Amino acid sequence: MEAPHSPAPDDVAATPAPGSPEDPVTLTVTIGSPERMTELGLRLAALLRPGDLVMLTGELGAGKTTLTRGLGEGLGVRGAVTSPTFVIARVHPSLTGGPALVHVDAYRLGGGLDEMEDLDLDVSLPDSVVVVEWGDGKVEELSDDRLHVVIDRVVGGAEPVPDDGEDDRRTVTLTGIGGRWAETDLASLAAPTS
């Protein structure tokens, strides 16, 4: 029997193993709170390595920065991970000898990769983990191998909404594109942290 204060496990669905390295690998997880989103970031950080490009998609307030905060904690980087909306990009150096975290908010950038050239992401990518919020259609050319994370708010459902009327449930769909992600066990992200 589970302890009364233990969080419920996340709901998980994963696609079967890909047929080739070109086939995307997908995992879908339902997250019930901002704390669980941070935990997902911690688990994801354990899978990341220098050169990884992570694209985050979701409406304002969906949890993109919360997930990135967990990534930063898991990677052991310096500085508070906050939204880079007004500075466009922040670099968080590693405190543990691992890769730096480059956190980019491409929301205000209208063009594709051309407009992002001034950020030198192509220079940062080989030695860092680059996380780009709002990067759809803007950074895909940086790497054939990338992880696309889509965060959607859960609407409706059988579970009651808390008394304050706020529903923190999110559906997070992680899609690994390229050979790098074909050899990575995304299903391991479903295991709750202890």
Side-chain angles (χ1 to χ4, degrees), residues 31-35 37 62 154 161-162 164 166-170:
I31 301 294
S33 69
E35 295 78 22
M37 186 69 77
V154 175
V161 175
D164 63 6
E166 195 163 316
D167 189 347
D168 288 332
R169 291 175 297 151
R170 305 287 192 262

Side-chain angles (χ1 to χ4, degrees), residues 66-156:
T66 302
L67 179 70
T68 307
R69 195 170 292 123
L71 289 174
E73 187 178 333
L75 291 171
V77 299
R78 184 180 72 206
V81 175
T82 60
S83 177
T85 299
F86 298 105
V87 296
I88 301 181
R90 282 195 171 95
V91 177
H92 298 275
S94 175
L95 296 171
T96 63
L101 172 66
V102 178
H103 186 196
V104 179
D105 186 327
Y107 183 76
R108 294 186 299 142
L109 301 176
L113 198 55
D114 291 341
E115 189 172 334
M116 298 191 72
E117 279 184 2
D118 289 341
L119 298 177
D120 287 332
L121 294 181
D122 54 336
V123 173
S124 300
L125 188 59
D127 300 319
S128 306
V129 170
V130 176
V131 176
V132 182
E133 297 185 23
W134 306 98
D136 289 359
K138 298 174 183 173
V139 297
E140 289 88 345
E141 294 175 26
L142 282 174
S143 178
D144 291 336
D145 297 313
R146 60 192 174 277
L147 182 64
H148 190 185
V149 181
V150 178
I151 305 171
D152 291 308
R153 291 177 187 213
V154 175
V155 180

